């Protein structure tokens, strides 16, 4: 998902999160759950059948059904807890097999002409290009007196890392991924600056894969050192205080030595790399030997005293160990199991001598900050620095001897500051109801930076001095569009069980509730991920075309703390779908829209959401966009060790109760022959190694075979992309133009006049 983020929090990427939004464009061993299998895979003539069936009967949604590429229905059957479950498209899990590749090619030959011939496609592509063309910045990082930040001039496919010797100095480009490939599909997925500001460790991903390689660049010369590290994904690096090496986590090599591939069916281990030495010389610092699925990630404290080890194994709880570096010597380090009860989440924030600070849900489902003295770590000796509040404490940062606390109040950000003793200092004032990110910095330096954004405000970067409370704008981008004609309102509605759920609705100020507006309803609902207002050029294009954009804050996220998250997981996952269905019904009942003009959108775990709601309520939506979704819930965990860790939200089909819950809503397994499903465009990428694309392949094949009316079911498969991270701008624009053009065809939209007006701006 980035399903998936780190529960400890100091490396959100470490678990390979399923979290990707339309506003952003920022694992197992076999099949252990099946009791027995009867396997008769698709016959060998599938390749020719798929290749021959590419005819498009019509581009008119009201005409006869499309002629879909042939997908032979196999006879594979699995047994789960005494029940037989058909899996007729199991053969599509063989991603590189000739029949699958032929099916992919045939589906793209059907879908792309359909999408490009939509009357609005050319306009969306042009307008998206115009709206995307604005300067964007990342949150600066300060190390060794230098400042580092990402910048995109507007239409650069990949953002460039800049460095400046001071805030007054002229910044210069340091790492430009756009120069690394002709199609701009090599991206920089992460970077970490050494404490002396002289070196930058950075990781590269090729073609959208989560696998990356780490490199080291000299800041002064702009040249790379010989160091190259492989077998990594979802890991950052943590520099030693002398800047001569760093700690990182890596998978074992797959197969024979020299294969160059990592084995993500196994666990990672923490290694120490010394600059200038080959990876083969890296020393293993820690590996989990007493549990089959826990993965360790390490971060060194700023004073170099402790190596904090986060053990990730779910999105609800984690463990924390540490190594005291001065006592570790050159022998095998002594690992102290500080937090090993696996009953809550703990995010390491920093230390003051022997005292370690954590943001935790321990006895606080909405979060609190505690201090643990390593000399007296017993629970009764813990010191509460910031108690739990009514609002959710989403993130905390220890900067300049104070804690900067970002709370969620009804799914939008509020920022408070307290000193190390927990005494309040003046709150930080924000421009509106939006989202903040950043607050990078040092516990000894009061200078920090953060970004603020909302649905109508591009992310602006601010400099904040924690000691003086001085707040300055560092960079503020401008979009060539008039956003003043729009407004975001927050409403609250009741779900099926009476739960009060918030929703943001962005629309024109002169909007009239008469049931005629085309509404795009977005949701996610999982993995403790809150859906907070953030700007998106793609959403602005949708608004300009006459649409309304709604985001429902479903259970499963973190909007109201761990209780809200848990209420949308495992045996309670149906609550998420009920919340989304209730959001659509509210929008219809309140006359924002009608069943003929509302569409459902979701990505990743949100793709599961859309797949579930259209199979449960095919009558409710006029169009559906499930993107890179988790759609086969009985086998999702077989793809990788990372995918298996999603079980903290989903459960596992190996367990009888969880199997029954999964079987009840699994989109692939609940497609009913002869039902009339809404016009649906499934999107995925054949290089997606987070949510493997066979989820989308199997679901699309099942929908196409079952469709009982003329509504089209299309699948568009990108062949040089992954789950979404690092996707070049040109590819993002093409992807959104396809999706929005599809919607305008099926929501009875006639936005030509609006489009002409917007183009003339």
């Amino acid at each position: 998902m980035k399903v998936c983020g780190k529960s400890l929090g100091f490396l959100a990427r470490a678990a390979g999160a399923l979290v990707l939004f339309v506003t952003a464009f920022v694992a197992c061993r076999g099949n252990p759950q099946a009791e027995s299998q009867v396997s008769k895979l698709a016959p060998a003539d599938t390749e020719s059948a798929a290749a021959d069936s590419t005819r498009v009967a019509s581009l008119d949604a009201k005409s006869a059904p499309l002629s879909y590429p042939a997908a032979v229905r196999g006879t594979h059957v699995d047994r789960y807890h005494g029940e037989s479950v058909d899996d007729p498209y199991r053969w599509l899990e063989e991603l590189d097999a000739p029949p699958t590749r032929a099916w992919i090619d045939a589906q793209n030959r059907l879908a792309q002409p359909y999408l490009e011939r939509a009357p609005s496609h050319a306009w969306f592509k042009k307008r998206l290009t115009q709206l995307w063309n604005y300067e964007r910045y990342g949150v600066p990082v300060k190390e060794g007196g230098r400042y580092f930040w990402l910048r995109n001039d507007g239409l650069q496919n990949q953002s460039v890392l800049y460095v400046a010797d001071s805030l007054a100095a002229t910044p210069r480009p340091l790492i430009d991924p756009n120069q690394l490939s002709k199609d701009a599909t090599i991206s920089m997925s992460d970077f970490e600056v050494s404490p002396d500001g002289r070196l930058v460790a950075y990781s590269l991903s090729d073609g959208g894969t989560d696998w990356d390689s780490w490199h080291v660049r000299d800041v002064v010369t702009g040249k790379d050192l010989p160091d190259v590290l492989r077998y990594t994904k979802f890991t950052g690096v943590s520099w030693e205080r002398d800047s001569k090496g760093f700690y990182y986590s890596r998978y074992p090599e797959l197969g024979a030595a020299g294969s160059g591939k990592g084995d993500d069916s196994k666990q990672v281990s923490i290694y120490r790399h010394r600059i200038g030495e080959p990876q083969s010389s890296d020393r293993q610092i820690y590996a989990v030997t007493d549990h089959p699925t826990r993965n360790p990630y390490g971060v060194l404290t700023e004073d170099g005293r402790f190596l904090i080890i986060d053990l990730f194994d779910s999105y609800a709880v984690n463990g924390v160990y540490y190594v005291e570096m001065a006592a570790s010597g050159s022998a095998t380090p002594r690992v102290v199991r500080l937090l090993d009860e696996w009953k809550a989440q703990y995010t390491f924030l920093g230390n003051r001598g022997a005292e370690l600070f954590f943001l935790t849900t321990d006895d606080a489902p909405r979060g609190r900050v505690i201090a643990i003295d390593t000399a007296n770590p017993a629970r009764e000796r813990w010191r509460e620095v910031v108690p739990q509040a009514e609002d959710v404490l989403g993130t905390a940062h220890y900067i300049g001897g104070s804690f900067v606390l970002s709370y969620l109040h009804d799914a939008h950000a509020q920022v408070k500051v307290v000193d190390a003793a927990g005494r309040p200092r003046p709150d930080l004032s924000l421009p509106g109801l939006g989202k903040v990110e950043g607050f990078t910095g040092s516990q000894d330096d009061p200078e920090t930076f953060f970004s603020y954004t909302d649905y109508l405000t591009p992310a602006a970067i601010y400099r904040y001095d924690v000691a003086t409370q001085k707040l300055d704008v560092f960079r503020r981008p401008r979009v060539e569009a008039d956003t003043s004609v729009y407004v975001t309102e927050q409403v609250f509605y009741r779900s099926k069980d009476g739960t009060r759920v918030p929703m943001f609705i962005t629309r024109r100020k002169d909007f009239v509730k008469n049931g005629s507006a085309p509404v795009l309803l977005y949701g996610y609902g999982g993995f403790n991920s809150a859906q907070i207002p953030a700007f998106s050029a793609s959403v602005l294009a949708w608004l300009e075309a006459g649409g309304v954009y709604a985001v429902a804050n479903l259970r499963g996220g973190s909007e109201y703390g761990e209780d809200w998250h848990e209420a949308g997981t495992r045996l309670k996952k149906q609550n998420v779908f009920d919340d989304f269905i209730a959001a659509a019904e509210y929008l219809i009942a309140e006359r924002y829209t009608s069943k003929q003009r509302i569409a459902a959108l979701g990505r990743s775990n949100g793709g599961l959401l859309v797949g579930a709601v259209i199979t449960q309520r095919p009558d409710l939506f006029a169009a559906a966009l499930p993107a890179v979704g988790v759609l086969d819930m009985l086998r999702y965990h077989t793809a990788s060790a990372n995918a298996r860790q999603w079980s903290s939200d989903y459960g596992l089909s190996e367990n009888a109760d969880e199997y029954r819950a999964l079987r009840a809503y699994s989109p692939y397994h609940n497609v009913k022959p002869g039902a009339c499903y809404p016009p649906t465009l499934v999107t995925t990428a054949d290089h997606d190694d987070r949510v493997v694309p066979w989820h989308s392949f199997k679901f699309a094949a099942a929908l196409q075979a079952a469709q009982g009316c003329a509504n089209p079911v299309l699948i568009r498969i990108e062949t040089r992309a992954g789950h979404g991270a690092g996707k070049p701008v040109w590819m993002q624009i093409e992807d959104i133009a396809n999706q929005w053009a599809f919607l305008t065809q099926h929501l009875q939209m006639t936005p030509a006049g609006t489009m002409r007006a917007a183009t003339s701006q």
Side-chain angles (χ1 to χ4, degrees):
M1 269 168 164
K2 17 225 233 155
V3 156
C4 309
K6 280 193 70 195
S7 61
L8 184 61
F10 51 71
L11 291 175
R13 61 194 167 273
L18 288 174
V19 184
L20 280 173
F21 316 103
V22 69
T23 55
F25 303 146
V26 198
C28 293
R29 301 171 181 82
N31 182 24
Q33 87 281 15
E35 294 174 357
S36 63
Q37 296 180 351
V38 180
S39 182
K40 296 181 180 178
L41 297 181
D45 63 357
T46 305
E47 179 180 5
S48 59
D52 291 340
S53 255
T54 61
R55 300 184 308 279
V56 179
S58 172
L59 297 181
D60 183 351
K62 297 179 181 179
S63 68
L66 297 174
S67 179
Y68 299 113
V72 173
R73 186 179 176 87
T75 56
H76 187 101
V77 178
D78 287 324
R79 294 280 294 175
Y80 298 91
H81 309 286
E83 295 181 7
S84 296
V85 179
D86 294 337
D87 189 358
Y89 301 108
R90 176 70 65 87
W91 58 275
L92 285 169
E93 293 186 16
E94 300 294 328
L95 299 179
D96 294 322
T100 304
R101 301 311 302 182
W103 184 87
I104 291 171
D105 292 342
Q107 292 287 356
N108 280 342
R109 288 197 297 271
L110 172 66
Q112 197 59 38
Y114 183 101
L115 299 169
E116 290 181 352
R117 292 177 196 173
S120 61
H121 187 276
W123 180 87
F124 273 120
K125 191 169 181 179
K126 179 180 179 181
R127 187 58 181 147
L128 285 164
T129 301
Q130 294 169 341
L131 292 173
W132 229 286
N133 192 15
Y134 72 97
E135 204 169 22
R136 301 183 292 282
Y137 297 91
V139 177
V141 172
K142 180 183 179 182
E143 291 288 359
R146 292 188 170 107
Y147 296 84
F148 301 79
W149 65 84
L150 293 169
R151 174 185 175 272
N152 193 300
D153 66 12
L155 292 178
Q156 285 179 300
N157 284 300
Q158 303 291 344
S159 294
V160 178
L161 181 63
Y162 281 77
V163 60
D165 292 332
S166 71
L167 291 182
T170 301
R172 57 185 174 84
L174 180 62
I175 301 173
D176 184 358
N178 297 289
Q179 300 177 359
L180 301 179
S181 61
K182 290 183 178 179
D183 62 359
T185 55
I186 295 179
S187 63
M188 183 171 67
S189 47
D190 197 6
F191 72 92
E192 195 71 39
V193 184
S194 64
D196 61 10
R198 296 181 178 180
L199 298 173
V200 176
Y202 67 99
S203 58
L204 297 177
S205 168
D206 187 356
T209 177
D210 283 331
W211 289 105
D212 49 29
S213 59
W214 282 89
H215 308 260
V216 180
R217 181 156 295 189
D218 186 292
V219 173
V220 174
T221 67
K223 303 293 184 182
D224 277 354
L225 303 182
D227 306 63
V228 179
L229 308 183
R230 305 191 188 280
Y231 322 122
T232 65
K233 59 178 174 178
F234 316 135
T235 184
V237 303
S238 184
W239 282 92
E240 294 179 320
R241 297 303 94 190
D242 61 5
S243 300
K244 293 182 179 180
F246 52 73
Y247 296 87
Y248 71 104
S249 294
R250 81 178 196 220
Y251 289 93
E253 193 168 5
L254 180 64
S259 71
K261 297 180 179 180
D263 185 357
D264 65 354
S265 70
K266 305 295 193 303
Q267 294 160 282
V268 299
S269 300
I270 298 175
Y271 283 81
R272 175 176 179 254
H273 176 72
R274 296 293 286 174
I275 298 300
E277 296 183 2
Q279 187 177 20
S280 58
S281 299
D282 291 354
R283 181 164 66 95
Q284 186 183 86
I285 300 300
Y286 181 71
V288 175
T289 59
D290 60 350
H291 194 280
T293 60
R294 292 173 181 170
N295 285 284
Y297 299 88
V299 63
L300 200 65
T301 57
E302 284 190 27
D303 60 5
R305 179 171 176 175
F306 298 100
L307 179 69
I308 306 297
I309 299 173
D310 167 44
L311 290 105
F312 175 82
D313 197 28
S314 85
Y315 297 87
V317 299
N318 68 303
V320 180
Y321 303 165
Y322 71 83
V323 174
E324 191 156 9
M325 302 304 290
S328 66
S330 59
T332 302
R334 175 176 173 265
V335 176
V336 178
R337 299 188 174 214
L338 180 67
L339 299 165
D340 204 27
E341 295 178 344
W342 294 83
K343 59 172 289 189
Q345 294 176 330
Y346 301 90
T347 300
F348 176 68
L349 304 178
N351 73 301
R352 189 171 56 183
E355 196 172 43
L356 307 180
F357 299 113
F358 294 93
L359 168 61
T360 182
T361 58
D362 191 302
D363 290 332
R366 295 184 301 279
R368 63 177 178 144
V369 175
I370 61 171
I372 301 177
D373 188 341
T374 55
N376 296 285
R379 176 178 288 270
E380 60 269 18
R381 301 296 297 271
W382 292 4
R383 179 168 67 90
E384 185 173 74
V385 181
V386 179
Q388 178 176 242
E390 288 299 314
D391 290 326
V392 176
L393 180 52
T395 64
H397 301 269
Y398 188 39
I399 301 167
S402 294
F403 292 97
V404 180
L405 312 168
S406 179
Y407 286 90
L408 282 181
H409 177 76
D410 286 335
H412 59 82
Q414 293 183 341
V415 179
K416 300 180 182 297
V417 182
V418 302
D419 65 18
R423 292 183 294 262
R425 306 187 65 195
D427 292 349
L428 197 157
S429 179
L430 299 177
L433 306 183
K435 177 180 183 179
V436 295
E437 289 184 328
F439 297 111
T440 58
S442 167
Q443 58 196 45
D444 297 321
D445 185 344
E447 184 180 43
T448 187
F449 297 84
F450 70 95
S451 67
Y452 170 84
T453 181
D454 56 44
Y455 289 120
L456 300 172
T457 307
I461 309 298
Y462 294 84
R463 178 188 177 275
Y464 179 60
D465 189 303
V466 177
T468 66
Q469 290 95 52
K470 186 179 180 183
L471 181 66
D472 299 304
V473 175
F474 177 68
R475 295 289 189 275
R476 176 176 285 149
R478 286 191 57 197
V479 176
E480 293 301 318
D482 182 8
T483 60
S484 68
V485 299
Y486 305 105
V487 65
T488 297
E489 62 175 322
Q490 187 175 41
V491 301
F492 296 85
Y493 65 92
R494 295 290 175 180
S495 189
K496 181 179 181 180
D497 62 358
T499 298
R500 181 175 180 263
V501 182
M503 176 164 54
F504 292 103
I505 302 172
T506 305
R507 53 170 177 78
R508 285 187 63 89
K509 290 180 178 177
D510 59 2
F511 174 80
V512 176
K513 292 184 184 180
N514 59 14
S516 67
V519 170
L520 179 56
L521 175 61
Y522 174 82
Y524 186 78
F527 298 92
N528 217 15
S529 176
Q531 304 308 293
I532 312 172
F535 179 81
S536 166
S538 57
V539 170
L540 185 53
W542 174 254
L543 295 172
E544 289 188 345
V548 173
Y549 183 66
V551 177
N553 296 105
L554 316 173
R555 281 174 283 185
S558 62
E559 285 86 346
Y560 293 108
E562 185 56 28
D563 291 343
W564 191 257
H565 169 224
E566 287 293 330
T569 64
R570 294 178 178 264
L571 302 183
K572 301 176 183 177
K573 187 67 177 176
Q574 181 61 40
N575 286 336
V576 181
F577 314 135
D578 290 343
D579 289 355
F580 194 77
I581 289 169
E585 291 175 331
Y586 172 91
L587 291 165
I588 294 167
E590 293 296 316
R591 295 185 57 75
Y592 285 89
T593 189
S594 66
K595 286 185 178 181
Q596 292 73 39
R597 308 203 75 184
I598 186 169
L601 168 67
R603 291 179 50 82
S604 196
N605 174 71
L608 160 63
L609 168 70
V610 174
V613 298
I614 66 170
T615 51
Q616 292 181 18
R617 287 292 305 277
D619 63 304
L620 187 56
F621 295 95
L625 298 175
V628 291
V630 188
L631 298 159
D632 180 344
M633 301 311 298
L634 302 186
R635 286 180 49 76
Y636 76 86
H637 62 290
T638 65
S640 65
N642 173 58
R644 188 178 180 87
Q645 288 175 323
W646 307 341
S647 61
S648 58
D649 260 53
Y650 295 152
L652 292 167
S653 55
E654 299 166 355
N655 305 322
D657 289 346
E658 292 172 346
Y659 157 71
R660 284 188 285 272
L662 291 163
R663 177 66 180 81
Y665 71 78
S666 177
Y668 173 57
H669 297 95
N670 283 281
V671 175
K672 297 177 177 59
C676 182
Y677 293 102
T680 301
L681 173 61
V682 180
T683 52
T684 188
D686 69 350
H687 282 65
D688 190 343
D689 47 12
R690 192 174 308 183
V691 179
V692 286
W694 52 251
H695 283 279
S696 295
F697 296 173
K698 293 164 66 174
F699 182 61
L703 270 184
Q704 288 178 344
Q707 183 64 296
C709 59
N711 291 338
V713 176
L714 300 174
I715 179 169
R716 175 70 175 85
I717 304 148
E718 183 54 62
T719 56
R720 271 292 284 167
H723 196 60
K727 182 182 286 189
V729 165
W730 72 264
M731 194 179 289
Q732 295 181 54
I733 290 173
E734 182 67 35
D735 184 27
I736 296 299
N738 285 340
Q739 294 182 58
W740 284 191
F742 183 81
L743 293 183
T744 60
Q745 284 187 288
H746 302 292
L747 298 189
Q748 303 176 24
M749 295 176 71
T750 54
T754 303
M755 291 178 177
R756 283 194 297 272
T759 304
S760 66
Q761 290 179 356

